[in-house]
Amino acid sequence: MEANISLSLKNFTQLENFGHSLRAPSYCFRLTCVEEVDKIFRLARENGLTVTVRGAGRSYNDASLNGGGIVLDMSAMNQILEWDPATGVVRCEPGVTIEKLWHQVEPDGWWPPVVSGTMKTTLGGCLSTNVHGKNNFKMGPIGEHVVEFTALLPTGEEITCTPKKNADLFYSMISGLGMLGVFTSITLQMKHVESGLLEVHAWPVHDLHEHLFLLLDKAPNYDYVVGWLDTMNGGKSLGRGQIHAANYLHGNEDPNPQKTMQLNSQILPPRIFGVFPKSNLYLFMRPFVNNLGWWGVNTAKYVASLRKHTFRQSHAAFHFLLDYVPNWELSAGRGGLIQYQSFLPKETAEYAWREMLTMSLRRGIPSYLGVTKRHRPDKFLLTHAVDGFSLAMDFKVTNKNRSTLSKMLQDFDRVVLNAGGRFYFAKNSETSAEAARTFLGTETITKFKELKKRCDPNHLLESDLYRRVFG
Ligand SMILES: Cc1cc2nc3c(=O)[nH]c(=O)nc-3n(C[C@H](O)[C@H](O)[C@H](O)COP(=O)(O)OP(=O)(O)OC[C@H]3O[C@@H](n4cnc5c(N)ncnc54)[C@H](O)[C@@H]3O)c2cc1C
């Protein structure tokens, strides 16, 4: 059905970030075809408004918010246009989710080479932020697996980009935060798999030094590596947690691959213990989402993880742990939550994170989540990756802690920048223009702005994030 393209109150709505900590009233249009994108550009021009593209709205920050402007919701442009099970090449509309993609390809023996920690994201959103998975050290970001994309620029020009054709736009629109044009189709190469299962090894780690050593040490021998870090305990235990490293199964390691690659062996169950509906589980988490409750949860998790063990897990269960509890982010309560993910070179990570974790415990604003990953650099323009590690931390926002939390995250930024680190534009809500200039460098920002001038001379594409960081 064609969208009603007018600036009527019917199209005016309040949008939020994934963590429900930010709100932006905007005109929102759910588009069904490329022609409508062009109509929206015209409407914006005629009314002096700006436009932000939105996929599934799963960014933790203001990447797909545009207060007072127009938001183009691409989630209805979600058709898989071509799928070739012989080569593993798939062409999709930009609103196809990672979920729809793996449902299509896994029964044929393929898996998306890079996935985010939730399967609800769209391919357009994933390219714009250039998402990384638990295999970033090996497979790079999703952009490295894009064969080709087409996009509509605000000038009205339709372009096709590959790593060789329009290469400057290929490497800048991927990672470009939807600020240069709108992806209209995306062609990706899938990864061939011989089983629907992964073999997962779990090791306890007792402090930050051991934590980072194990991530570094295990990565070369595994397809995926990820760590859980207990952010609630300091002192000698600071940085303790658990490392998971996983490998694909090959040859006859899986006795029944045809079965394990079927969707019913992969899909996460809708009920816990077959009885309790998962959709309400977040309500039971709420009483624990405070400093004391979460300290208890982390301590119990750490004790339970002290045993070194090996097990087999479906791809979906390994990658999309957070999707087990729908709406888990609502457990943070009214103020919502924000995520802070820093990327640090392997030489400086331990010192910087020791300082940040200690600071958060001292100030009484601990993070309720700590996830670590191993990374390598890539050649996309607004890259967030380094030869090192990342640590993602979730903070509950309340009226009481809002300003002290914001101040602490600015202090974190200084630590990260002094240590030669980077930030990720899909996550952090505090990164300032000055911080971005420091880690991206003036040359990169100048290049990005020149490309913006070429693709979007009238600055039609703007988001709250763009104004915060590049405005
Ligand atoms: C639970 C959870 C786990 C996550 N885990 C990871 C992870 O492991 N690794 C990781 O890298 N990220 C992760 N993320 C972040 C997430 O993958 C990114 O924020 C991703 O961009 C969200 O996709 P989306 O479709 O929701 O896009 P949105 O949030 O709606 O938009 C993101 C950006 O893409 C742009 N955009 C969207 N569609 C288009 C289009 N068609 N053309 C041009 N621009 C477009 C928007 O303007 C915006 O700048 C996670 C997020 C959540 C909520």
Side-chain angles (χ1 to χ4, degrees):
M1 203 175 71
E2 194 173 297
N4 162 18
I5 298 178
S6 68
L7 297 182
S8 66
L9 270 184
K10 229 174 110 198
N11 293 320
F12 200 68
T13 185
Q14 177 103 291
L15 290 172
E16 295 187 351
N17 58 329
F18 170 74
H20 305 284
S21 58
L22 303 166
R23 280 162 202 97
S26 13
Y27 292 99
C28 187
F29 299 95
R30 193 156 190 258
L31 305 191
T32 51
C33 62
V34 181
E35 291 70 36
E36 289 175 350
V37 179
D38 205 33
K39 282 188 194 165
I40 295 285
F41 282 157
R42 225 173 310 138
L43 181 76
R45 252 191 305 267
E46 284 162 11
N47 292 279
L49 294 175
T50 58
V51 178
T52 297
V53 196
R54 187 171 169 99
R58 246 57 185 187
S59 293
Y60 277 84
N61 60 6
D62 46 2
S64 58
L65 296 180
N66 188 17
I70 292 176
V71 171
L72 278 186
D73 175 346
M74 304 295 282
S75 60
M77 281 182 64
N78 60 4
Q79 295 308 304
I80 295 183
L81 303 168
E82 285 168 49
W83 163 234
D84 183 350
T87 61
V89 175
V90 62
R91 192 165 74 87
C92 302
E93 288 189 319
V96 167
T97 57
I98 295 281
E99 179 174 27
K100 187 163 182 173
L101 180 61
W102 75 257
H103 281 203
Q104 173 76 47
V105 304
E106 169 128 68
D108 293 327
W110 300 86
W111 182 258
V114 173
V115 295
S116 48
T118 169
M119 57 176 124
K120 305 297 175 189
T121 50
T122 67
L123 292 180
C126 287
L127 259 60
S128 282
T129 55
N130 206 10
V131 300
H132 59 263
K134 300 174 179 75
N135 53 358
N136 187 256
F137 58 93
K138 193 166 189 173
M139 300 295 274
I142 194 168
E144 291 189 13
H145 307 278
V146 174
V147 177
E148 179 181 293
F149 67 76
T150 59
L152 184 68
L153 306 184
T155 52
E157 190 186 349
E158 284 185 70
I159 53 160
T160 302
C161 297
T162 72
K164 297 228 164 91
K165 184 174 171 185
N166 291 321
D168 56 347
L169 287 180
F170 182 87
Y171 285 101
S172 53
M173 284 192 68
I174 296 176
S175 81
L177 305 164
M179 291 297 108
L180 301 177
V182 181
F183 294 117
T184 49
S185 77
I186 293 163
T187 307
L188 286 163
Q189 174 66 58
M190 298 292 103
K191 162 129 187 63
H192 180 53
V193 290
E194 295 166 54
S195 161
L197 298 175
L198 294 167
E199 180 141 290
V200 188
H201 301 266
W203 295 269
V205 283
H206 305 93
D207 57 31
L208 187 58
H209 184 76
E210 192 187 5
H211 196 123
L212 299 181
F213 172 77
L214 234 66
L215 283 178
L216 197 63
D217 188 53
K218 296 296 173 197
N221 301 317
Y222 289 88
D223 293 311
Y224 299 97
V225 175
V226 63
W228 163 71
L229 189 147
D230 174 0
T231 45
M232 305 293 297
N233 280 282
K236 281 192 182 144
S237 308
L238 188 133
R240 73 183 190 179
Q242 188 178 32
I243 305 293
H244 281 112
N247 272 333
Y248 295 109
L249 296 185
H250 298 285
N252 52 10
E253 287 176 319
D254 177 357
N256 201 347
Q258 289 313 324
K259 181 164 180 287
T260 59
M261 287 192 295
Q262 291 312 306
L263 292 187
N264 53 13
S265 302
Q266 294 283 334
I267 284 174
L268 308 181
R271 289 169 186 271
I272 300 278
F273 306 125
V275 183
F276 192 77
K278 287 192 316 182
S279 50
N280 293 330
L281 197 60
Y282 76 91
L283 291 171
F284 290 87
M285 287 167 64
R286 271 200 180 154
F288 297 97
V289 186
N290 54 62
N291 290 359
L292 185 62
W294 218 247
W295 177 85
V297 169
N298 271 17
T299 304
K301 183 170 161 52
Y302 178 67
V303 172
S305 69
L306 281 172
R307 191 175 56 87
K308 184 177 157 190
H309 60 293
T310 299
F311 54 101
R312 288 186 174 184
Q313 199 172 24
S314 72
H315 293 274
F318 178 77
H319 288 291
F320 309 124
L321 184 68
L322 290 168
D323 292 338
Y324 266 105
V325 185
N327 304 321
W328 61 268
E329 73 282 5
L330 296 175
S331 65
R334 276 211 193 143
L337 65 88
I338 52 178
Q339 183 163 109
Y340 186 96
Q341 188 173 17
S342 50
F343 290 72
L344 281 154
K346 54 185 188 308
E347 295 78 14
T348 57
E350 184 179 336
Y351 171 78
W353 285 331
R354 189 174 296 285
E355 194 171 343
M356 287 154 64
L357 288 162
T358 307
M359 197 192 294
S360 72
L361 290 169
R362 280 214 188 111
R363 295 190 191 181
I365 323 175
S367 154
Y368 290 169
L369 174 95
V371 174
T372 53
K373 290 183 190 145
R374 170 85 175 104
H375 297 271
R376 66 146 162 89
D378 59 69
K379 47 184 189 163
F380 293 88
L381 190 64
L382 301 184
T383 180
H384 53 270
V386 292
D387 180 7
F389 312 101
S390 69
L391 168 62
M393 302 159 112
D394 278 2
F395 294 95
K396 175 175 168 169
V397 185
T398 63
N399 281 338
K400 210 169 144 206
N401 80 3
R402 199 178 294 271
S403 65
T404 44
L405 175 59
S406 169
K407 163 84 177 63
M408 184 175 81
L409 299 185
Q410 286 161 23
D411 292 341
F412 278 11
D413 279 5
R414 274 189 282 279
V415 176
V416 173
L417 292 173
N418 285 338
R422 303 178 87 88
F423 304 109
Y424 183 20
F425 291 123
K427 302 279 181 85
N428 296 26
S429 311
E430 303 288 331
T431 315
S432 64
E434 197 188 332
R437 211 176 309 118
T438 309
F439 84 84
L440 288 173
T442 313
E443 199 184 321
T444 299
I445 295 199
T446 306
K447 187 164 178 206
F448 183 57
K449 291 206 165 168
E450 277 167 15
L451 287 166
K452 178 130 181 94
K453 215 171 180 181
R454 189 170 114 204
C455 299
D456 181 19
N458 300 318
H459 272 249
L460 219 53
L461 289 169
E462 275 192 10
S463 60
D464 287 352
L465 180 147
Y466 180 81
R467 286 184 282 271
R468 168 164 62 87
V469 175
F470 301 101

